[in-house]
């Protein structure tokens, strides 16, 4: 709902995001659009399973599990970028907007979307990865002062990253629908709604995370075999399904940017800056 703010003789309006309705819509979208889910998710899911089998084979050859984990992470982002773009369009524009969309293809839009994702990963590595590595090193050498310093740096870096991620989250839906207007525009569009955006992101992903944790707890460890293979397939399916949670951010972008008159789109940035 609108929240009016006055500064001097100028009046601005901050649009408050309806958190729970957007989370509910994000969670129900895969069920409402099951044919599109299968259409856009089938190919990346099959490919990520193939990469998973490859990584399993590498681990059997004494390749570090951390290296295979990095390979799986990179493969996931590369393979699911076309799905992310299509699903974002679906959430914002509706089913008719993706009726003729290729099931799995890379174009300029997908490449830019992937580049933006990689930039976010690099930012996370700088803000959180390096301080965390220093923290683990300090713990190994039992340097308490360095532990405190590295721990503080890790906490601060993670906070900076999370704030930046939320404030720049509209970059991704804007790229997906071809309305990217720059980092400054995305920063302005999310001003005044950072707490609600955080709630939408967390609550949209939370059910998938809880289901995956419960599944792993229930199945436990199984040696290589049919049971372990089935467990891996379900686990990858849950990870893939979690990608649909990006619809929460897409719906927030639609509400704050696309559904507002042009002169009100920049309003939150002015209000928050004062």
């Amino acid at each position: 709902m609108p929240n009016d703010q006055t500064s001097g003789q100028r009046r601005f309006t901050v649009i408050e995001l309806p958190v729970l309705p957007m989370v509910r819509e994000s969670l129900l979208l895969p069920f409402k659009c099951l044919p599109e889910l299968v259409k856009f998710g089938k190919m990346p899911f099959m490919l990520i399973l193939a990469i998973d089998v490859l990584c399993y084979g590498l681990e059997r050859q004494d390749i570090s599990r951390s290296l295979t984990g990095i390979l799986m992470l990179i493969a996931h982002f590369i393979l699911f970028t076309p799905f992310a773009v299509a699903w974002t369009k679906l959430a914002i524009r509706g089913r008719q907007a993706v009726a003729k969309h290729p099931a799995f293809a890379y174009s300029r839009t997908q490449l830019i979307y992937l580049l933006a994702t990689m930039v976010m990963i690099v930012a996370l590595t700088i803000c959180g990865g390096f301080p965390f590595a220093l923290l683990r090193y300090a713990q190994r050498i039992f340097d308490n002062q360095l532990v405190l310093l590295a721990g503080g740096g890790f906490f601060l870096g993670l906070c900076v990253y999370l704030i930046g991620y939320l404030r720049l989250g509209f970059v991704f839906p804007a790229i997906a629908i071809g309305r990217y207007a720059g980092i400054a525009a995305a920063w302005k569009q999310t001003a005044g709604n950072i707490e609600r955006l955080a709630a939408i992101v967390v609550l949209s992903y939370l059910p998938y995370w809880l289901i995956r944790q419960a599944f792993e707890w229930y199945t436990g460890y199984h040696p290589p075999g049919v049971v372990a293979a089935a467990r891996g397939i379900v686990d990858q399916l849950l990870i893939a399904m979690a990608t649909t949670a990006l619809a929460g951010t897409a719906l927030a972008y639609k509400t704050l940017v696309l559904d507002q008159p042009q002169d009100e789109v920049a309003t939150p940035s002015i209000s928050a800056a004062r």
Side-chain angles (χ1 to χ4, degrees):
M1 60 182 292
N3 177 28
D4 294 336
Q5 299 183 7
T6 304
S7 178
Q9 296 180 350
R10 303 180 64 184
R11 184 173 179 173
F12 308 105
T13 302
V14 174
I15 306 300
E16 296 182 356
L17 289 171
V19 175
L20 294 181
M22 286 188 175
V23 172
R24 182 174 62 250
E25 181 65 21
S26 175
L27 295 176
L28 291 177
L29 197 60
F31 303 98
K32 292 180 178 179
C33 303
L34 186 59
E36 288 80 7
L37 178 65
V38 174
K39 173 185 175 181
F40 298 118
K42 178 174 61 176
M43 183 60 70
F45 177 64
M46 293 173 61
L47 292 175
I48 201 65
L49 284 181
I51 299 295
D52 195 17
V53 172
L54 173 63
C55 289
Y56 173 75
L58 293 176
E59 290 176 9
R60 299 278 289 180
Q61 300 299 321
D62 295 329
I63 301 298
S64 171
R65 190 175 181 85
S66 61
L67 292 179
T68 57
I70 293 174
L71 175 60
M72 280 294 295
L73 180 66
I74 295 175
H76 177 85
F77 284 119
I78 293 175
L79 295 176
F80 277 89
T81 289
F83 174 81
V85 170
W87 198 255
T88 299
K89 288 183 179 179
L90 174 65
I92 296 175
R93 302 294 194 188
R95 304 177 75 170
Q96 70 282 355
V98 296
K100 298 182 180 180
H101 193 86
F104 184 81
Y106 258 90
S107 66
R108 184 173 180 270
T109 298
Q110 284 79 9
L111 289 173
I112 296 176
Y113 193 101
L114 179 61
L115 177 61
T117 302
M118 293 304 176
V119 169
M120 285 293 188
I121 294 176
V122 171
L124 177 60
T125 302
I126 295 174
C127 294
F130 291 156
F132 181 75
L134 181 61
L135 175 62
R136 294 298 300 270
Y137 171 75
Q139 290 173 338
R140 285 197 297 267
I141 64 175
F142 302 101
D143 189 330
N144 293 331
Q145 290 184 343
L146 187 57
V147 166
L148 291 175
L149 179 63
F154 173 71
F155 177 77
L156 179 61
L158 193 60
C159 289
V160 169
Y161 174 80
L162 291 176
I163 293 173
Y165 175 81
L166 292 171
R167 290 299 305 270
L168 299 177
F170 284 178
V171 164
F172 296 97
I175 291 174
I177 65 171
R179 291 177 60 99
Y180 177 67
I183 293 177
W187 185 274
K188 294 176 181 179
Q189 290 160 357
T190 56
N193 272 290
I194 187 170
E195 300 89 351
R196 298 177 184 85
L197 283 171
I200 290 172
V201 171
V202 171
L203 294 177
S204 295
Y205 281 96
L206 185 61
Y208 299 107
W209 183 83
L210 290 176
I211 293 172
R212 184 166 181 254
Q213 295 302 311
F215 173 75
E216 291 183 350
W217 173 82
Y218 177 76
T219 58
Y221 170 77
H222 292 279
V226 176
V227 176
R231 180 183 183 275
I233 292 174
V234 175
D235 186 57
Q236 288 299 327
L237 179 61
L238 291 173
I239 294 175
M241 283 294 296
T243 308
T244 64
L246 55 81
T249 303
L251 292 170
Y253 173 80
K254 180 177 182 294
T255 299
L256 290 180
V257 180
L258 302 182
D259 292 348
Q260 302 303 319
Q262 189 62 33
D263 58 344
E264 293 185 10
V265 169
T267 291
S269 64
I270 303 174
S271 302
R274 290 179 177 269

